[in-house]
Amino acid sequence: MRYIANELSEAQSSTGTAALIEAALPIDASPRNTSVSAAPGTGKNLTPRQTLRDWFSARWFQLVHRQNLVYNTCWEDPRLDRQALRIGPGDRIAMITSAGCNALDYLLDEPQQIFAVDVNPLQNALLELKIAAIRRLEFSAFFQMFGQGRLADCHEVYHRQLRPELSPAARACWDSRIRMFGGRGPRESFYFRGSAGLFARLVNASIDRIAKVRDGVEELLATTRVAEPREM
């Protein structure tokens, strides 16, 4: 799969320093010949079993990533990354896009450039959509869309305000998927969409129907002091 660097945005930081996010978008996602003659770097031929395993692995990877949004949000705490990496002006960062949250968070430290790269083009399209929303939406609408994961008039907002900001590849993605933010059906939030959303639904089902600890979980999430969870 070949990639090119595609400029996404020039985001203005709180102090006025321009920070550039670039994302690598696939320009050729067609399946490749999966026959394997040797293990890379070993010079040894693979056994039929290893070749078959690699073939199934490649097909499974394509099934999961090629047409499916995997991450709707990043689960890591980017504050720890920023402390460890000591990001600052002049730094150039290459990172996996995932849901784009961490790339946007790193901008708070005003690096010169961020290159967001992902094997799944839908993840880069999500980052583009977030940048477009930051640029074009009022905070209340932005929070409804990406805080709560639902926006009642998402189709109108998308076509009127967000779509013109997107690259052709991102438009092709969201033209058929913006309904994910519609707030309808059993998956009433964007955060119940994609692979991570499916996992979240399964966790909720376990909490409600198997472990039956919903009250305790809600109480834990409502805590405001570090000591409270320990006391609980």
Side-chain angles (χ1 to χ4, degrees):
M1 189 178 290
R2 296 174 296 149
Y3 293 85
I4 57 173
N6 179 60
E7 179 176 325
L8 282 183
S9 76
E10 192 165 316
Q12 196 73 16
S13 71
S14 58
T15 58
T17 301
L20 181 68
I21 287 186
E22 295 183 327
L25 297 176
I27 60 174
D28 182 5
S30 58
R32 297 297 185 190
N33 188 336
T34 57
S35 61
V36 180
S37 59
T42 65
K44 297 179 180 179
N45 291 332
L46 295 179
T47 66
R49 182 176 180 178
Q50 288 172 315
T51 302
L52 185 62
R53 182 185 61 196
D54 288 346
W55 185 89
F56 275 113
S57 177
R59 287 296 181 270
W60 176 253
F61 189 87
Q62 287 286 337
L63 176 66
V64 171
H65 287 278
R66 192 174 180 191
Q67 297 296 331
N68 183 53
L69 183 71
V70 177
Y71 298 106
N72 51 30
T73 189
C74 294
W75 296 354
E76 306 87 357
D77 185 348
R79 293 174 298 179
L80 300 179
D81 294 342
R82 289 163 56 197
Q83 290 176 21
L85 296 173
R86 299 180 181 178
I87 299 170
D91 287 338
R92 304 175 74 204
I93 303 169
M95 61 182 297
I96 296 173
T97 308
S98 186
C101 316
N102 293 350
L104 294 171
D105 194 272
Y106 292 173
L107 289 179
L108 296 174
D109 289 327
E110 305 176 29
Q112 179 182 351
Q113 288 180 311
I114 296 178
F115 296 91
V117 183
D118 206 292
V119 71
N120 185 345
L122 301 186
Q123 302 299 154
N124 287 329
L126 177 57
L127 176 55
E128 282 201 51
L129 188 68
K130 288 181 176 180
I131 292 172
I134 290 171
R135 284 175 160 179
R136 298 296 303 273
L137 300 183
E138 296 293 331
F139 177 76
S140 59
F142 178 86
F143 187 78
Q144 288 177 51
M145 189 170 186
F146 287 107
Q148 298 172 339
R150 63 179 71 89
L151 186 63
D153 53 349
C154 65
H155 287 84
E156 179 183 351
V157 170
Y158 170 70
H159 286 283
R160 178 166 44 88
Q161 294 179 266
L162 304 181
R163 193 176 188 274
E165 299 283 335
L166 303 180
S167 68
R171 290 178 185 178
C173 167
W174 292 114
D175 283 354
S176 61
R177 292 179 175 86
I178 198 63
R179 66 182 185 278
M180 289 182 172
F181 295 91
R184 299 184 180 89
R187 292 179 290 181
E188 68 277 6
S189 168
F190 173 69
Y191 296 108
F192 290 121
R193 300 281 185 167
S195 300
L198 174 60
F199 179 73
R201 292 177 68 197
L202 293 174
V203 170
N204 271 333
S206 176
I207 290 172
D208 292 334
R209 301 173 187 175
I210 301 175
K212 297 181 180 179
V213 291
R214 172 60 63 185
D215 290 343
V217 170
E218 295 296 337
E219 184 180 356
L220 180 64
L221 293 176
T223 58
T224 58
R225 295 182 299 109
V226 174
E228 286 184 71
R230 298 194 186 103
E231 293 169 1
M232 294 172 60

